[in-house]
Structures are given as C-alpha cells and as structure tokens.
Amino acid sequence: EVQLVESGGDLVQPGGSLRLSCAASGFSLGSYAMSWVRQAPGKGLQWVSMISESGDNTWYAGSGKGRFTISRDVSKNTLYLQMDSLRAEDAAIYYCARRRLGQLSIYDYWGQGTLVTVSS
Amino acid sequence: EVVLTQSPGTLSLSPGERATLSCRASQSVSRRYLAWYQRKPGQAPRLLIYGASSRATDIPDRFSGSGSGTDFTLTISRLEPEDFAVYYCQQYDVPPQTFGQGTKLEIK
C-alpha cells in the first residue's frame, strides 16, 4: 500500500528555517517524481516544488525560488523540503504528492500534510 | 500563470441529487490537461479525474469530467454521503501547474 507521511511542520519566526520530511512507503522514490504542494489558510492549493524521478532535476514556484530546496534520500525513501528565510505568507499546510508515472503532473497519491506557522 | 476559478464556492445539496462543479481557466488548457481532486477533512487529497474526463483507479462511475479549452465540469450523478468534501481542479498544461481555490460540497 502506498503511503506518504509528512512531518517537520512547526511554529517558526519570520526569517527562520524549517525542514519538512515526507516518508514514503509502498514504492521507491527513485522511480517517481515528487512534488510539494501547499495550502495557505483560506486559499487554494499551490504547487511549491518538484523533483524528477532521477533526482537530477528540480523545479520551484516563483514564491520559493532561492529560498526553498527540494531533495530526497532514496535509501531512506524520504523526500525533503528545506525552507529558509521564511515569510508570513509561507504559512500553510504542506503536502507531498507523488506524480503518476509519465511526464504529466498528475498526482495519484498525497500525504495528509504538515502545518507550518510563521509568526513572531 | 493560468488562473483557475471554481464555482460555486459552496454547493449545498442532498444525497441522491446531482452535483455540477465548474472550473474556468484564464487561458485555454490545451490537450485537456486538467485534473480533479477530492479532499475530506483530515485526509489526503484523492485524484478523481485526469485528462479532463478519465477516471482514476477505483473511482466510482458516478464521477465524470467533461470540458475543453477554458471551461471544465465535474459531475457527480447521484451524491452519496461520502461525497461531501472539497473539490479542486488543477491544470498541468502550462507551467507552473496551478490549482483552483476549491468548491465545498456540503449536505443540505
């Protein structure tokens, strides 16, 4: 059974850093592209970042470019999102999601999310 | 980026009724690269429809998707109690991929 479990969400001050984790089971991260998607309070879903199946390519939404870093550890089957220079507008529930096999960004499995709060 | 506007924001219906949810794009979504997801409180989002009209694995046939260009629709033919949730559309045609703000389907 495919499962994605996020962790690492916390209350952090503006300008602070946080690393989110997404533990995958039931499949190998080395075979799938993965994304982080977030939902701020009262807003819709927003794609944040993606890492390719090979791990060689990464993409970022403009809001996180230069501040966020997506990575993975295939041996631990865990996806990460390092978030630096956090801003109030980064507060959200962060979901990891598995992209279906192929090149299209259709997400067939999601985690339940981890909450990031940015406040002083 | 492509802005997806979902309507209505909230839809109040009774079990057994038909639900029609709309997703309008700010520019044409070619190749019908549009998906629909369902999210229930405290649960992970679930893929329902991709390619505008293809049902994902294990999705009941009461869920159907249609549309092209800038106007897309998710239809639930006869609502079951477990269908009351929030629904999101997503376009994956024009980078960056974008999502709608959601339609909440609530029990009347």
Side-chain angles (χ1 to χ4, degrees), chain B residues 42-100:
Chain B
Q43 294 188 19
R46 176 190 182 196
L47 174 66
L48 299 175
I49 300 286
Y50 63 93
S53 59
S54 298
R55 269 189 300 276
T57 304
D58 295 332
I59 301 303
D61 60 8
R62 64 180 181 273
F63 290 91
S64 64
S66 62
S68 63
T70 60
D71 290 297
F72 297 87
T73 300
L74 174 70
T75 302
I76 310 172
S77 59
R78 289 175 311 280
L79 285 167
E80 297 287 341
E82 62 267 28
D83 298 336
F84 292 92
V86 181
Y87 293 83
Y88 298 92
C89 57
Q90 175 216 12
Q91 69 82 22
Y92 47 95
D93 177 37
V94 178
Q97 56 190 284
T98 50
F99 294 83

Side-chain angles (χ1 to χ4, degrees), chain A residues 35 37 39 42-47 50 61 93 95 100 104-112, chain B residues 33 35 37 39 42-47 49-51 88 90 92 96-102:
Chain A
S35 276
V37 177
Q39 184 168 31
K43 300 278 184 74
L45 295 168
Q46 180 189 30
W47 171 75
M50 178 183 290
I93 298 172
Y95 299 94
R100 284 177 85 221
L104 300 176
S105 292
I106 303 164
Y107 301 107
D108 58 358
Y109 287 94
W110 298 63
Q112 293 188 335
Chain B
Y33 282 174
Y37 299 87
R39 198 189 68 191
Q43 294 188 19
R46 176 190 182 196
L47 174 66
I49 300 286
Y50 63 93
Y88 298 92
Q90 175 216 12
Y92 47 95
Q97 56 190 284
T98 50
F99 294 83
Q101 82 282 12

